[in-house]
């Protein structure tokens, strides 16, 4: 019986997890595939660090070509991350007729189309379950058993760093900077946390989910992306008073010939299952026209859960190879000719409920002026709170709106912020209380 | 391009949903499969009832053989339920080289081995995502992307009727009989609810999950099965006081060369995500050695979610056929030769924490006698409540134990129930507060 040989590009945290899983559960994997799945070569620039795994001599190389050009390697796993040399390596693997498994959401969000087209030409699979939600099998669920559904929406908590920070802020009443600093010390946040806390990583993942759910190309630059760095403890406190939690939510919605695709801090009711997804856990909630709402949650990152997702993809390809076929399913599950190009709805056009917080001087006319401007922009007020509490010499006024158009809200806030009764920039957080 | 023809056995609720989905989303399905998937024949004894679907003339027949022996039909969907004639039909379909999709958990839980063996001989697929958790794609996740994991445990809320009843009892403080009656009127419970409320349906589903997670045959008769009909409003009230909710839980655990497989009302902490799964929703929580804990939830029954799962399986088979292969994966994902025969741990041997409720006369010696018997059986008390509240002339004494052996608890309760200070049969509910 033939062996299935795997080559690993990148021997960092996830790569180490993949190697560990392939070695630890090799018998189990062989029992499910029908033949051994063998780690034949690992390429990494660092060949000296001890990863705590015993490797056969010669397995580790600094030269990726040794692996990409090895005719005995059937599956290349790309875990380098970033755009280059990852992209060139992936394209070369495909050119050489190899199947590709990757966890690289940034690469696919920006260059997926080129990579999928190359894979279609060569008749190989490109799988990327590990790119979204760590070990949560959401991509295979969308492409696989839920494939008969037209999806209406997808909501995701997709970045463990942000969710950890927001969870701590919520539980402790602490400020963003304080919690970020601790997360960095604990290794939950990078030294430069921009990619995570500004929502870019979440947006990359959303781009993939939107493509898969709605069968469309996504122009990544059109995804509105707002991070959590401007969320303050006072907003979290008010959110709780109104029965909400603040989460960095990836939101995808089908809207006729348009899609919504946006990432921003979002208030969701505490009674929603997504509100209970705390710490480094991730979750995805999808709604299909037949299946209804389905939620999947689990560890969204980390060596071992991500390795589980990578191995799942390797097993998928291995089963094809054992059945004597190469390609069985297109990367987005829609046949390549059936992928649409739906436009992303401009952010100004979206409709949402809003939480608005104004900092104002403590004077009787303030409320009338604010509500006058809101009314003039077709923004109607659902509820309002003005506390006696002073923050830096100002009183906070919090308004929850009914559904309003983003553009109207932005214009109203700009106008209000010019008033001399307003002492600080007004804040807003979008609310999702209808996840259907 | 060839068409993939599907035959439907059974045109009840789920069958109608499948027909509706195949007709409604036919373009979407063709876009993902690469060819039309066509409903060629439906067999049902009732050919007169209007299901609200327009069918071509001649599509509906009372003769299953027309479908089972039609060489143009590639996939047979069995939605008759029960053991016969479902089993004979499934075996005949397999014998004729057809792939089988079924939602019949009872059939597979009792006769799965025979059916899987027949499918292996003929090289066809037997898929059954719709048998567990309605539209929740849990079976394909276990067989697919999470396949590289050794699973340690699986917990499930798998019966919508029971969960609906327990949810109403919890929210309203109502009694079992009252809520069951209403559930029957609303169509959420059958006229004869035994199958659901006594846990048999849940046990069938657990048998499948245990087979899939642990790669083992399961002797269905060895699954301990206890329903919810003896749960009273007072137990639900006490559970809440201690921070728990009562759910009918399917529990599967790997324990060395044994497995635990049991279905019974279970107290779980209100802080657990499973505790939030209310009403007719289902959820499954699995723990793999690499992926860690993963939870999937959604609508566990109903025409449309179940049809989504059936269609997912049909699409899976269709992709194989389009790639030119027949069988790609064994029904349990373990190769047929690799399925083990792990014994189910005898119920008396399991260890659990327990909620115990005694009805006793209001006399000072009572507590000493009860705790004496518990101590003599190695059952240690974690906490205890005795309320002044009288129930039918007795006082309830509630004891939460540390981990104890089932057999010891049963013996202790038998002994205590012989005392004349005890006025009613003592109650117990097992507690799970460590879902790892």
């Amino acid at each position: 019986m033939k062996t299935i040989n795997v080559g690993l590009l990148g021997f960092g945290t996830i790569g180490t997890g993949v190697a560990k899983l392939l070695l630890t559960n090799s018998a189990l994997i062989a029992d499910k595939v029908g033949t051994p799945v063998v780690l034949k070569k690992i390429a990494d620039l660092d060949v000296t660090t001890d990863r705590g795994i015993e490797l056969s001599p010669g397995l580790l190389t600094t030269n990726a070509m040794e692996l990409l050009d090895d005719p005995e390697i059937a599956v290349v796993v790309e875990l380098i991350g970033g755009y280059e040399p990852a992209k060139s390596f992936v394209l070369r693997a495909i050119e050489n007729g190899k199947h590709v498994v990757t966890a690289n959401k940034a690469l696919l969000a920006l260059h997926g189309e080129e990579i999928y087209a190359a894979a279609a030409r060569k008749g190989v699979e490109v799988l990327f379950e590990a790119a979204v939600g760590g070990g949560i099998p959401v991509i295979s669920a969308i492409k696989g058993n839920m494939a008969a559904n037209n999806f209406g929406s997808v909501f995701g908590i997709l970045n463990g760093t942000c969710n950890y920070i927001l969870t701590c802020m919520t539980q402790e009443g602490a400020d963003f900077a304080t919690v970020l600093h601790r997360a960095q010390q604990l290794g939950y946040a990078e030294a430069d946390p921009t990619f995570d806390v500004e929502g870019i990583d979440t947006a990359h993942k959303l781009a993939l989910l939107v493509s898969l759910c709605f069968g469309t190309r996504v122009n990544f630059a059109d995804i509105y992306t707002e991070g959590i760095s401007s969320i303050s403890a006072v907003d979290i406190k008010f959110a709780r008073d109104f029965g909400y939690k603040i989460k960095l939510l990836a939101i995808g919605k089908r809207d006729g010939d348009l899609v919504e695709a946006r990432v921003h801090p979002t208030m969701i009711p505490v009674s929603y299952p997504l509100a209970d997804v705390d710490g480094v856990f991730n979750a995805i909630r999808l709604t299909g026209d037949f299946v209804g709402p389905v939620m999947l949650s689990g560890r969204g990152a980390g060596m071992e859960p991500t390795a589980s997702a990578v191995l799942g993809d390797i097993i998928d390809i291995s089963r094809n190879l054992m059945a004597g076929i190469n390609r069985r399913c297109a990367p987005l599950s829609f046949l390549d000719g059936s992928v649409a190009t739906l436009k992303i709805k401009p952010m100004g056009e979206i409709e949402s409920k809003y939480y608005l917080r104004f900092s104002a001087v403590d004077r009787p006319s303030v409320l009338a002026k604010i509500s006058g401007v809101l009314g003039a922009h077709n923004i109607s007020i659902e509820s309002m709170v003005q506390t006696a509490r002073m923050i830096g010499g100002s009183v906070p006024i919090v308004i929850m709106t009914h559904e309003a158009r983003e553009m109207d809200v932005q214009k109203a806030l700009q106008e209000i912020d010019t008033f001399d009764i307003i002492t600080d920039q007004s804040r807003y957080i979008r609310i999702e209380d209808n996840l259907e």
Side-chain angles (χ1 to χ4, degrees), chain A:
Chain A
M1 206 180 286
K2 65 179 172 187
T3 282
I4 290 166
N5 291 314
V6 174
L8 206 55
L9 294 171
F11 200 28
T13 305
I14 311 303
T16 304
V18 170
K20 196 174 139 195
L21 176 44
L22 266 170
L23 298 172
T24 310
N25 287 358
S26 60
L28 176 77
I29 294 166
D31 274 352
K32 293 192 181 179
V33 167
T35 196
V37 176
V38 175
L39 185 55
K40 184 154 188 255
K41 190 72 80 178
I42 306 175
D44 196 286
L45 294 179
D46 170 7
V47 293
T48 52
T49 299
D50 181 9
R51 279 90 166 179
I53 295 177
E54 215 169 302
L55 299 175
S56 319
L59 200 83
L60 190 56
T61 173
T62 56
N63 181 5
M65 298 309 147
E66 274 187 43
L67 188 160
L68 293 168
D69 295 342
D70 181 344
E72 290 185 0
I73 287 178
V75 185
V76 168
V77 181
E78 185 276 304
L79 299 170
I80 303 169
Y83 305 111
E84 281 296 349
K87 186 183 163 194
S88 302
F89 288 173
V90 162
L91 289 173
R92 184 161 181 144
I94 291 170
E95 213 46 52
N96 286 339
K98 300 183 192 317
H99 304 281
V100 169
V101 174
T102 176
N104 194 333
K105 43 259 172 193
L107 178 63
L108 295 178
L110 273 84
H111 304 287
E113 203 176 343
E114 184 182 348
I115 291 167
Y116 306 152
R121 280 194 303 274
K122 299 298 290 188
V124 296
E125 298 263 352
V126 174
L127 299 181
F128 48 92
E129 180 67 77
V132 180
I136 305 168
V138 61
I139 292 179
S140 39
I142 297 170
K143 292 172 65 177
N145 195 264
M146 301 199 292
N149 288 272
N150 283 299
F151 291 97
S153 64
V154 53
F155 296 87
I157 295 173
L158 302 175
N159 184 276
T161 305
C162 285
N163 206 42
Y164 173 81
I165 291 173
L166 289 173
T167 300
C168 292
M169 288 175 71
T170 303
Q171 288 171 351
E172 303 163 18
D175 261 317
F176 173 78
T178 311
V179 178
L180 171 62
H181 183 68
R182 194 177 61 215
Q184 286 171 319
Q185 288 179 318
L186 290 168
Y188 291 166
E190 307 277 347
D192 176 359
T194 312
F195 216 66
D196 291 314
V197 301
E198 296 308 339
I200 304 160
D201 174 71
T202 299
H204 285 146
K205 293 165 178 170
L206 177 63
L208 301 183
L209 290 177
V210 165
S211 283
L212 289 158
C213 286
F214 308 131
T216 182
R217 290 167 196 85
V218 170
N219 182 12
F220 181 72
D222 293 343
I223 298 181
Y224 174 82
T225 305
E226 178 188 327
I228 62 166
S229 56
S230 65
I231 298 295
S232 68
V234 62
D235 293 321
I236 285 178
K237 167 75 174 61
F238 277 119
R240 181 167 23 202
D241 293 348
F242 281 95
Y244 293 95
K245 263 193 188 179
I246 300 176
K247 294 286 181 189
L248 183 69
L249 219 60
I251 299 174
K253 294 184 188 180
R254 182 73 191 250
D255 182 4
D257 286 338
L258 297 175
V259 292
E260 287 186 29
R262 45 192 169 101
V263 172
H264 50 70
T266 309
M267 286 193 185
I268 55 175
V270 290
S271 60
Y272 280 17
L274 276 175
D276 287 330
V277 177
D278 281 333
V280 296
F281 275 73
N282 281 14
I284 300 97
R285 184 185 193 280
L286 312 111
T287 306
D289 55 351
F290 275 74
V291 74
V294 171
M295 187 167 129
L296 298 89
S297 60
R299 294 193 186 282
M303 176 191 290
E304 298 191 333
T306 311
S308 163
V310 168
L311 253 291
D313 284 348
I314 294 174
I315 290 173
D316 196 11
I317 291 167
S318 301
R319 285 180 173 145
N320 288 347
L321 296 174
M322 290 301 288
I325 58 172
N326 268 310
R327 185 180 170 100
R328 183 174 170 273
C329 186
L332 299 179
S333 91
F334 289 80
L335 300 184
D336 301 290
S338 304
V339 177
T341 307
L342 303 175
K343 280 188 79 168
I344 294 179
K345 196 173 192 176
M347 193 60 189
E349 303 290 325
I350 72 130
E351 299 204 345
S352 177
K353 296 183 178 182
Y354 290 80
Y355 156 95
L356 308 175
R357 177 167 62 81
F358 304 96
S359 302
V361 295
D362 195 4
R363 212 178 295 163
S365 60
V366 167
L367 255 179
K369 290 192 86 166
I370 290 174
S371 53
V373 174
L374 295 178
H377 285 90
N378 295 310
I379 301 160
S380 74
I381 295 174
E382 186 181 291
S383 58
M384 201 269 301
V385 165
Q386 178 175 359
T387 62
R389 181 165 39 141
M390 301 285 276
I391 300 177
S394 305
V395 288
I397 297 168
V398 171
I399 288 173
M400 310 295 270
T401 77
H402 287 290
E403 290 273 327
R405 207 163 61 123
E406 173 84 13
M407 193 185 296
D408 295 333
V409 172
Q410 298 291 352
K411 281 186 189 155
L413 294 188
Q414 271 168 31
E415 195 174 323
I416 290 169
D417 280 356
T418 63
F419 297 164
D420 55 6
I421 49 165
I422 297 295
T423 56
D424 195 4
Q425 198 189 350
S426 302
R427 306 285 178 179
Y428 60 91
I429 298 174
R430 298 168 196 90
I431 299 170
E432 279 289 335
D433 59 4
N434 178 12
L435 295 190
E436 278 308 308

